[in-house]
Amino acid sequence: MKLYLFGHDYKYAVEQMLLTLYPQERPEYGAGKPEGDRMELRLSRGERRVTGSCTLVRGERRWYGRASADNGELTDTLTADRICQRLVKNAMYRAALHAGHSRPAWGALTGVRPGKLLCALLEQGMAEDEALRSFIAEYDVSTERAALCLDTSRHTLRAIRSLQSGDVCLYVGIPFCPTRCAYCSFVSQSVEKSMQLIEPFMDALMREIDAVAAQVRARGLRVVSIYMGGGTPTTLSPQQLERLCTKLEEAYDLSALREYTVEAGRPDTVTAEKLRVLRRHGVDRVSVNPQTMSDKVLETIGRRHTAADIVSALALVREIGGFAVNMDLIAGLPGDTVEGFADTLERVLALEPENITVHTLSLKKGSRLTLEGTSIPTAAEVSHMLDLAGERLRGAGYGPYYLYRQKFMSGGFENVGWARPGRENLYNICIMEELCSILAMGAGGSTKLIVRDGGRNIRLMAPKYPLEYIESIERCCAEKQKISEFFLSKSGRE
């Protein structure tokens, strides 16, 4: 679609809304006199108000959308920028609805973290019902999604109250898997192709752990959560896991640690010896992720295990003992149906995990599903799957405690973490709601230094692939000095 921008250059915001409304369209920026099918997107500031407007033109027909805010709300450059982007997006959204577009479940919201917006209203002192009404009115979010967001926001506020200044979470990324799933675009390599890289990767990772630990000690930071993800960390051998866990214990003061999570997501990587290593080092939460309990769908997505293997892996976890268990499901997988998803849900509930995360399939650009154009369930079918999950999980005693959205997600829905009371995972809340800094180590790791009192967060990205990471480890370690610089500047503000 041709896009004409007047009075602003908010291309990223415009493209995010275009992706939400018309995912098959690609942006093409017009110059000169507007012509053809198009959107004209204007931003203008009057004496008292700033206004975003959109004219949507298709053939001889035109539709209009408009959104405005008081100039007094534009208190500083960063706030003004955010509000103006929101006005342009809302104007686009309203023009599309006037043109007959169906109302998305999340309304005009395009961001990953809708809970941040609702939490901000609650932190301003609004009562829950008032905040909910404001949230729905501003973004046209459905009543059901807004209520879901409120549920998770309560957990966010509790987590905020539990955190102290200087609390941080650690993330350790292990970018290896037994095989690559068809839907996956995460940074991971099949060990079938990269076994020779694991040991040099481990050597590089040890150096980065030391580099981050030096910054943590220098600034007196407190580690409250460790999350080891990937990839699949349990792709490592018991000896490699022992080396890694021992290194973390030696490098960091873990006396304030509240939780320690390791993704054992692929049941074909889970052994009693590995689990004993993890438990010996204080790991108290693991993920055993079926995604589906249909053998046919598992085969379609490239998993080399069966639903029976998932049951066996979980039985082994319970036999070793001491672990809370998370199990991931995906709504919308190729070859799945509403009935098949409902069966998966019932079979997982029968296994009684402490946490269940329900993802919506996201068609990432680098995944095999996208590249091969595989047929998947419709948005209506995915909606039915998610409705079933919410109803059944609540009935089984689980509650939603964090949520987030992704690009290219079927139906524009969401991913939701569900937990039994008291089993919420702090790391998931902190990273999704940006409550404290996440210090990452490993290939593709994203250190995020969080500014909760206004300002832009800072990201430090490690190279994506194991070989790149190994070859760039000197630079990765040197870059960690920015952690100290950030916390020094933060203490200066405080």
Side-chain angles (χ1 to χ4, degrees):
M1 179 177 288
K2 278 193 174 181
L3 303 171
Y4 292 85
L5 310 185
F6 301 96
H8 67 95
D9 192 32
Y10 292 132
K11 290 184 178 179
Y12 180 77
V14 167
E15 289 171 12
Q16 291 306 294
M17 182 54 74
L18 185 68
L19 178 63
T20 297
L21 296 169
Y22 304 108
Q24 305 308 317
E25 299 269 8
R26 292 295 174 262
E28 178 186 344
Y29 292 95
K33 183 179 179 181
E35 59 183 6
D37 289 356
R38 64 189 184 272
M39 278 188 175
E40 299 173 22
L41 300 153
R42 293 176 167 80
L43 187 70
S44 58
R45 178 177 270 179
E47 290 186 9
R48 290 187 286 184
R49 298 184 70 79
V50 59
T51 300
S53 62
C54 173
T55 303
L56 171 58
V57 180
R58 290 195 185 275
E60 299 299 316
R61 302 199 64 184
R62 292 171 178 255
W63 299 271
Y64 302 94
R66 183 175 178 276
S68 63
D70 289 332
N71 286 337
E73 296 180 40
L74 281 58
T75 53
D76 55 71
T77 302
L78 185 59
T79 302
D81 198 46
R82 288 172 176 165
I83 290 174
C84 288
Q85 289 186 59
R86 189 188 77 208
L87 296 178
V88 171
K89 290 196 293 184
N90 283 357
M92 288 179 69
Y93 174 79
R94 290 166 187 174
L97 259 60
H98 290 153
H101 195 290
S102 60
R103 181 189 183 197
W106 285 98
L109 286 178
T110 62
V112 172
R113 300 175 176 86
K116 287 190 73 174
L117 301 170
L118 184 53
C119 267
L121 299 176
L122 295 169
E123 286 190 282
Q124 291 169 16
M126 281 191 184
E128 285 188 353
D129 57 348
E130 181 187 4
L132 205 58
R133 285 195 301 271
S134 177
F135 182 66
I136 292 171
E138 182 63 43
Y139 301 104
D140 199 31
V141 178
S142 72
T143 303
E144 295 78 13
R145 259 54 191 189
L148 181 65
C149 200
L150 179 60
D151 283 338
T152 60
S153 293
R154 294 186 183 112
H155 289 284
T156 300
L157 294 174
R158 278 197 285 273
I160 290 170
R161 290 191 290 268
S162 77
L163 293 168
Q164 300 176 21
S165 177
D167 283 357
V168 296
C169 298
L170 301 182
Y171 176 81
V172 183
I174 307 299
F176 300 99
C177 278
T179 59
R180 189 177 181 87
C181 297
Y183 56 80
C184 183
S185 68
F186 281 107
V187 179
S188 62
Q189 292 204 201
S190 165
V191 292
E192 297 171 318
K193 299 179 179 179
S194 57
M195 181 67 76
Q196 72 277 9
L197 292 177
I198 294 182
E199 280 302 325
F201 168 82
M202 291 290 289
D203 292 340
L205 179 58
M206 299 300 115
R207 294 180 61 186
E208 191 178 16
I209 288 172
D210 281 334
V212 173
Q215 305 305 313
V216 169
R217 289 192 297 272
R219 299 274 60 85
L221 305 178
R222 195 172 79 138
V223 177
V224 295
S225 176
I226 299 176
Y227 194 102
M228 196 181 296
T232 305
T234 45
T235 302
L236 300 180
S237 69
Q239 295 74 24
Q240 290 162 341
L241 286 170
E242 176 71 40
R243 180 187 180 192
L244 176 53
C245 292
T246 299
K247 182 66 173 180
L248 291 168
E249 286 176 350
E250 293 173 348
Y252 296 96
D253 176 2
L254 301 182
S255 59
L257 196 67
R258 293 163 58 178
E259 62 184 27
Y260 195 157
T261 303
V262 172
E263 289 187 355
R266 295 284 291 265
D268 41 343
T269 68
V270 177
T271 68
E273 188 178 1
K274 292 178 186 181
L275 292 171
R276 289 190 187 100
V277 169
L278 298 179
R279 194 70 199 100
R280 189 162 60 244
H281 288 281
V283 175
D284 56 8
R285 184 177 184 270
V286 294
S287 292
V288 179
N289 298 332
Q291 317 302 3
T292 175
M293 295 294 279
S294 164
D295 287 344
K296 181 179 178 181
V297 178
L298 284 169
E299 183 179 356
T300 300
I301 64 177
R303 290 246 178 169
R304 293 185 182 174
H305 63 79
T306 65
D309 294 329
I310 295 161
V311 175
S312 297
L314 186 59
L316 193 57
V317 170
R318 296 305 194 194
E319 179 184 329
I320 299 301
F323 297 106
V325 174
N326 174 74
M327 301 185 79
D328 282 2
L329 308 180
I330 299 179
L333 287 172
D336 207 357
T337 62
V338 173
E339 294 75 19
F341 181 82
D343 179 68
T344 285
L345 187 61
E346 292 304 323
R347 293 172 69 180
V348 166
L349 284 170
L351 297 172
E352 300 186 323
E354 286 73 16
N355 297 74
I356 297 175
T357 306
V358 181
H359 295 269
T360 301
L361 180 67
S362 180
L363 291 174
K364 297 299 184 64
K365 291 181 179 179
S367 70
R368 182 160 58 83
L369 286 185
T370 302
L371 295 174
E372 295 179 359
T374 307
S375 177
I376 59 173
T378 66
E381 289 171 322
V382 172
S383 178
H384 195 176
M385 292 175 185
L386 296 177
D387 289 345
L388 279 172
E391 180 180 348
R392 189 67 185 89
L393 285 164
R394 288 185 190 276
Y398 294 81
Y401 76 98
Y402 82 100
L403 69 84
Y404 66 103
R405 302 176 69 214
Q406 294 172 276
K407 295 179 184 177
F408 310 110
M409 187 171 269
S410 293
F413 294 113
E414 68 285 321
N415 303 323
V416 182
W418 297 79
R420 287 181 164 170
R423 293 294 192 166
E424 298 81 12
N425 182 245
L426 177 65
Y427 176 88
N428 284 332
I429 300 173
C430 286
I431 192 168
M432 292 308 165
E433 301 303 331
E434 299 184 322
L435 303 188
C436 69
S437 293
I438 309 292
L439 310 184
M441 297 150 281
S446 174
T447 289
K448 183 176 279 191
L449 305 174
I450 301 298
V451 183
R452 288 214 71 240
D453 56 351
R456 294 189 184 278
N457 298 328
I458 296 171
R459 280 186 167 228
L460 308 175
M461 295 292 297
K464 290 183 177 182
Y465 300 104
L467 185 59
E468 285 182 286
Y469 173 76
I470 293 163
E471 293 174 344
S472 304
I473 194 60
E474 292 282 355
R475 178 183 62 79
C476 289
C477 291
E479 192 176 43
K480 294 302 186 285
Q481 177 61 37
K482 293 179 181 178
I483 296 171
S484 278
E485 294 169 3
F486 171 82
F487 281 98
L488 277 172
S489 66
K490 186 178 177 184
S491 62
R493 289 197 304 273
E494 292 172 348

